[in-house]
Amino acid sequence: MSTIEATAAKITDQPIVEQLIEHTNAEMEKVNELLLSRVDSHVEMVPEIANYLISAGGKRLRPMLTVAAAMMFEPRDNQHVSYAAAVEFMHTATLLHDDVVDESDKRRGQLAPRKIWGNSASVLVGDFLLGQAFMMMVEAGNLDALGILSRSAAIIAEGEVFQLSKAKDLTTKVDDYFEVIKAKTAALFEAATEVGAMAGGASEADRTALKKYGAELGIAFQLVDDVLDYGGLSGTIGKNVGDDLREGKMTLPILHALQNTNDVDAQFIRENLGDPEANEQTVARVVAIMKESGALKVTLDRAYEHANLAKAALAPLAARNGAHILIEIADYCVERAA
Amino acid sequence: MSTIEATAAKITDQPIVEQLIEHTNAEMEKVNELLLSRVDSHVEMVPEIANYLISAGGKRLRPMLTVAAAMMFEPRDNQHVSYAAAVEFMHTATLLHDDVVDESDKRRGQLAPRKIWGNSASVLVGDFLLGQAFMMMVEAGNLDALGILSRSAAIIAEGEVFQLSKAKDLTTKVDDYFEVIKAKTAALFEAATEVGAMAGGASEADRTALKKYGAELGIAFQLVDDVLDYGGLSGTIGKNVGDDLREGKMTLPILHALQNTNDVDAQFIRENLGDPEANEQTVARVVAIMKESGALKVTLDRAYEHANLAKAALAPLAARNGAHILIEIADYCVERAA
């Protein structure tokens, strides 16, 4: 086996997420540098909170998608770096605000910032990062890309309000659920890949393909998150499992279980939906009902469907630089819950 | 007296704020229409909360400043309408988030939205309005103006974090206070008048004059607000008086009083600073200390200084359409506390 073949074999043996990290590494270093320089402030809480989250080892999936999308074409002037950093700041701002809204105690495996610095600082530093995201976009100088990202900011917030208004609402439909996840999650994935394509100078058709890829991947990603919230397909009970139940979030596993179980079990779910004190035993029974009614399996099946749509969107571009990584990432996003 | 003279006399008899309203009325109707159309959402809480605040009879001073600044020159394509609406949305988003941060019960003379719809909805609808503000700016199509407004969004948030970090901090300096108010209040006034001038096609020099006017007016405005929080120069105790004391805000009246009173009174202020339960009697004694030490008078004097700087900035443009109104508005902003 020649050296080249050995290297190729080594690369393909790597888990796909490692391949994505390696593929985008040089550009992501620029992104990280930009992120750090943009949270610099003499107001100490700003870099403290922002860096706490940024360095907490989030996967940086969204900015990597922006960079990888750009790298399929011919990125110039580091626009893709600015866009990727803006996408990560928008995501970080959303996390800060979501933790306040959901009263979360944990984020990325450590204490949520609001538990250390308080809700007020979390809200305000989120606002700061949003402002910085737009400043970076302005500096990149593309009004179209700015339009895409500002629209997604409004859509994300609107989707979160919709989700909030549907909490514990037993009349919630499956369509409502999909509307929520398209807005609160898929909108940023969609914007991330679309502005990446733009920064690479993609054609209209290629840009549309990347936009579609991001949107479908985002839907799949959130469906999987909503399965993971109940311990994944195996339904393993651990810490944080059942948070969506406690918050009364009407996710697909809940909606499906309510529709496909007996009256007694459905009543049990209804009684515990939105009870912040629901204990491990209660969650375990809800998870058992979900497994029995096929709710977790059905949700994961829907995730596979959308992952397949994401892959199909990129199929015409499969020969482009790094496209195979993005295609395989779609499977990875679903498999983490299987 | 001819009809024209009679009309002129009538107009000049009007309080200056009425003159500003009348002067900007036709354009502000377009702004209001745009605001209403942009909070339209099938997610009911979005228009409910936004309209509750927007129709609560805020003065709309900031968007009126944008419109009036544009009208001094030759506004085209309704860019000034988009900018004014964006400025008002940014302001409304700030109010929603501030009420959460300050745990306020009242806003614009009625219950604060967070007391009706909760903190979560207030945070998220604020985010939605911020996204909409940027979308409107993008549609107006001017990257320079977008840069000014996105920068001010980051500065406002950074200033609010700084204020939060200085709460109850007895080492706070007068310079820190001015840094806070320049960021949290003056930055939006400054942006409002600068983008207004840009929408009117002002020259570089005129745009700088309007920017300076807005910045100084904003400083004066906040100084006055901080005097009004202790009942104005008369120190009249009423509802909400002393909120800044209860929140531990290190405003100039507090800083000056601490420096210019006897040890016993200074100790009394220190003991009650940041006590959310401080009662009317306590506030009355703090106000009495402020009056005796000249803290309210000194703060108002500083407000007059900055109002004068605002007027001076516009002096070279005094002959332009409506300039005299903006010049007089500077006095009005201070006199409301005298």
Side-chain angles (χ1 to χ4, degrees):
Chain A
M1 194 152 63
S2 74
T3 317
I4 290 170
E5 277 169 338
T7 311
K10 187 171 161 248
I11 287 172
T12 36
D13 280 354
Q14 270 187 324
I16 192 66
V17 117
E18 297 297 322
Q19 287 187 50
L20 179 62
I21 290 169
E22 198 168 302
H23 177 63
T24 57
N25 187 48
E27 301 307 295
M28 283 302 291
E29 270 183 26
K30 295 186 213 164
V31 173
N32 292 338
E33 217 169 280
L34 184 56
L35 290 174
L36 286 174
S37 77
R38 286 313 185 111
V39 295
D40 196 28
S41 165
H42 77 290
V43 181
E44 289 162 20
M45 267 202 285
V46 170
E48 266 173 32
I49 297 178
N51 288 331
Y52 176 82
L53 264 185
I54 290 172
S55 62
K59 292 175 297 294
R60 312 244 175 132
L61 181 57
R62 294 159 190 79
M64 279 199 291
L65 290 173
T66 301
V67 165
M71 288 172 70
M72 287 173 59
F73 309 95
E74 289 175 12
R76 283 181 316 174
D77 305 333
N78 285 326
Q79 269 201 356
H80 59 299
V81 174
S82 300
Y83 295 170
V87 163
E88 181 67 2
F89 270 0
M90 282 176 63
H91 178 54
T92 311
T94 307
L95 296 185
L96 281 165
H97 289 185
D98 279 2
D99 284 347
V100 172
V101 169
D102 293 342
E103 300 179 0
S104 309
D105 296 337
K106 295 272 179 175
R107 170 61 67 185
R108 290 180 173 168
Q110 54 185 22
L111 275 179
R114 72 176 204 95
K115 298 297 283 185
I116 302 174
W117 292 278
N119 282 341
S120 300
S122 294
V123 169
L124 297 173
V125 173
D127 291 349
F128 173 80
L129 293 177
L130 222 45
Q132 283 286 352
F134 283 104
M135 278 173 71
M136 286 189 283
M137 296 293 299
V138 169
E139 286 157 27
N142 184 321
L143 267 172
D144 279 351
L146 252 166
I148 289 163
L149 281 176
S150 55
R151 187 162 167 272
S152 76
I155 288 174
I156 292 166
E158 191 180 26
E160 304 252 16
V161 180
F162 191 39
Q163 173 174 265
L164 190 68
S165 72
K166 287 288 176 189
K168 295 188 259 180
D169 181 347
L170 295 164
T171 70
T172 305
K173 296 180 186 61
V174 170
D175 282 353
D176 296 330
Y177 166 75
F178 275 96
E179 184 183 327
V180 166
I181 70 171
K182 278 177 192 174
K184 77 166 187 173
T185 307
L188 190 56
F189 276 80
E190 177 180 332
T193 48
E194 186 177 10
V195 297
M198 290 170 71
S203 70
E204 192 67 27
D206 291 349
R207 171 178 156 181
T208 305
L210 261 308
K211 174 185 156 88
K212 169 86 173 160
Y213 167 80
E216 297 296 344
L217 185 70
I219 296 171
F221 189 88
Q222 188 59 53
L223 280 157
V224 169
D225 255 10
D226 293 345
V227 172
L228 285 171
D229 195 85
Y230 291 101
L233 200 54
S234 63
T236 315
I237 303 300
K239 57 180 180 173
N240 291 329
V241 166
D243 279 352
D244 285 353
L245 180 79
R246 296 185 187 97
E247 289 160 19
K249 279 190 185 153
M250 304 307 285
T251 61
L252 189 53
I254 285 285
L255 294 175
H256 185 92
L258 282 172
Q259 287 291 322
N260 295 278
T261 193
N262 58 58
D263 290 353
V264 176
D265 285 348
Q267 182 57 25
F268 183 80
I269 293 179
R270 281 195 294 269
E271 272 164 14
N272 289 286
L273 200 54
D275 175 6
E277 306 298 333
N279 62 24
E280 207 168 284
Q281 227 172 342
T282 301
V283 171
R285 185 166 161 200
V286 170
V287 169
I289 299 168
M290 285 179 170
K291 283 165 78 175
E292 214 174 272
S293 68
L296 298 177
K297 172 83 171 53
V298 163
T299 305
L300 208 58
D301 284 347
R302 298 297 301 263
Y304 272 113
E305 277 174 38
H306 287 280
N308 284 334
L309 290 171
K311 289 158 75 176
L314 279 205
L317 294 162
R320 285 195 175 262
N321 176 31
H324 71 282
I325 298 176
L326 289 183
I327 289 172
E328 283 180 51
I329 277 289
D331 288 327
Y332 158 79
C333 278
V334 183
E335 277 154 14
R336 66 201 173 102
Chain B
M1 194 152 64
S2 74
T3 316
I4 290 170
E5 277 169 337
T7 310
K10 187 168 161 252
I11 287 172
T12 36
D13 279 355
Q14 270 186 324
I16 192 67
V17 114
E18 297 296 322
Q19 286 188 51
L20 178 63
I21 290 168
E22 197 169 301
H23 176 64
T24 58
N25 186 47
E27 301 307 295
M28 283 302 291
E29 270 184 26
K30 294 185 214 165
V31 174
N32 292 338
E33 217 170 278
L34 184 56
L35 290 173
L36 286 175
S37 77
R38 285 312 186 111
V39 296
D40 197 27
S41 165
H42 77 290
V43 180
E44 288 161 20
M45 267 202 286
V46 171
E48 267 173 32
I49 296 178
N51 288 330
Y52 176 83
L53 263 185
I54 291 172
S55 63
K59 293 175 296 292
R60 311 242 174 132
L61 180 58
R62 292 159 191 80
M64 280 199 291
L65 290 173
T66 300
V67 165
M71 288 171 70
M72 286 173 59
F73 309 96
E74 287 177 12
R76 283 181 316 173
D77 305 332
N78 285 326
Q79 268 202 356
H80 59 300
V81 174
S82 299
Y83 295 170
V87 163
E88 181 67 2
F89 269 1
M90 282 176 63
H91 178 54
T92 311
T94 307
L95 295 185
L96 281 164
H97 289 186
D98 279 1
D99 284 346
V100 172
V101 169
D102 294 341
E103 300 179 359
S104 311
D105 296 336
K106 295 272 180 175
R107 171 60 69 185
R108 289 181 174 168
Q110 53 186 23
L111 273 180
R114 74 177 201 97
K115 298 297 283 184
I116 302 175
W117 291 278
N119 282 341
S120 300
S122 293
V123 170
L124 296 173
V125 172
D127 290 348
F128 173 81
L129 293 178
L130 222 44
Q132 284 287 350
F134 283 104
M135 280 173 70
M136 286 189 284
M137 294 295 297
V138 169
E139 285 157 29
N142 184 323
L143 267 172
D144 279 351
L146 252 165
I148 289 163
L149 280 175
S150 56
R151 187 163 167 272
S152 76
I155 288 174
I156 291 166
E158 191 180 26
E160 305 252 15
V161 179
F162 192 40
Q163 173 174 267
L164 190 67
S165 72
K166 288 288 176 189
K168 294 187 258 180
D169 180 348
L170 294 165
T171 70
T172 305
K173 297 180 184 61
V174 170
D175 280 354
D176 296 329
Y177 166 75
F178 274 96
E179 183 184 328
V180 165
I181 69 171
K182 278 178 193 175
K184 77 166 189 173
T185 307
L188 190 55
F189 276 80
E190 176 180 334
T193 48
E194 186 177 11
V195 297
M198 289 170 73
S203 71
E204 192 67 29
D206 291 349
R207 172 179 154 181
T208 304
L210 262 306
K211 174 185 157 87
K212 168 87 173 159
Y213 167 82
E216 298 296 345
L217 185 69
I219 296 170
F221 189 88
Q222 187 59 54
L223 281 158
V224 169
D225 256 10
D226 293 344
V227 171
L228 284 171
D229 195 86
Y230 291 100
L233 200 54
S234 63
T236 314
I237 302 300
K239 56 180 179 173
N240 292 329
V241 167
D243 279 351
D244 284 351
L245 179 78
R246 295 185 187 96
E247 290 160 19
K249 280 190 185 153
M250 304 307 285
T251 61
L252 189 53
I254 285 284
L255 294 175
H256 184 91
L258 282 172
Q259 288 291 324
N260 295 277
T261 193
N262 59 57
D263 290 354
V264 175
D265 284 348
Q267 183 57 24
F268 183 79
I269 293 179
R270 281 195 294 269
E271 271 165 16
N272 289 287
L273 200 54
D275 175 6
E277 307 299 332
N279 62 25
E280 205 167 287
Q281 227 171 341
T282 302
V283 172
R285 184 165 161 203
V286 170
V287 169
I289 299 168
M290 286 178 169
K291 283 165 77 175
E292 215 174 272
S293 68
L296 299 177
K297 172 84 172 53
V298 163
T299 306
L300 208 58
D301 284 345
R302 298 297 300 263
Y304 271 114
E305 277 173 37
H306 287 279
N308 283 334
L309 290 171
K311 289 158 75 177
L314 278 204
L317 294 162
R320 285 197 175 261
N321 176 30
H324 70 282
I325 298 176
L326 288 184
I327 290 170
E328 283 180 51
I329 277 290
D331 288 326
Y332 157 79
C333 279
V334 183
E335 277 155 14
R336 65 202 173 101

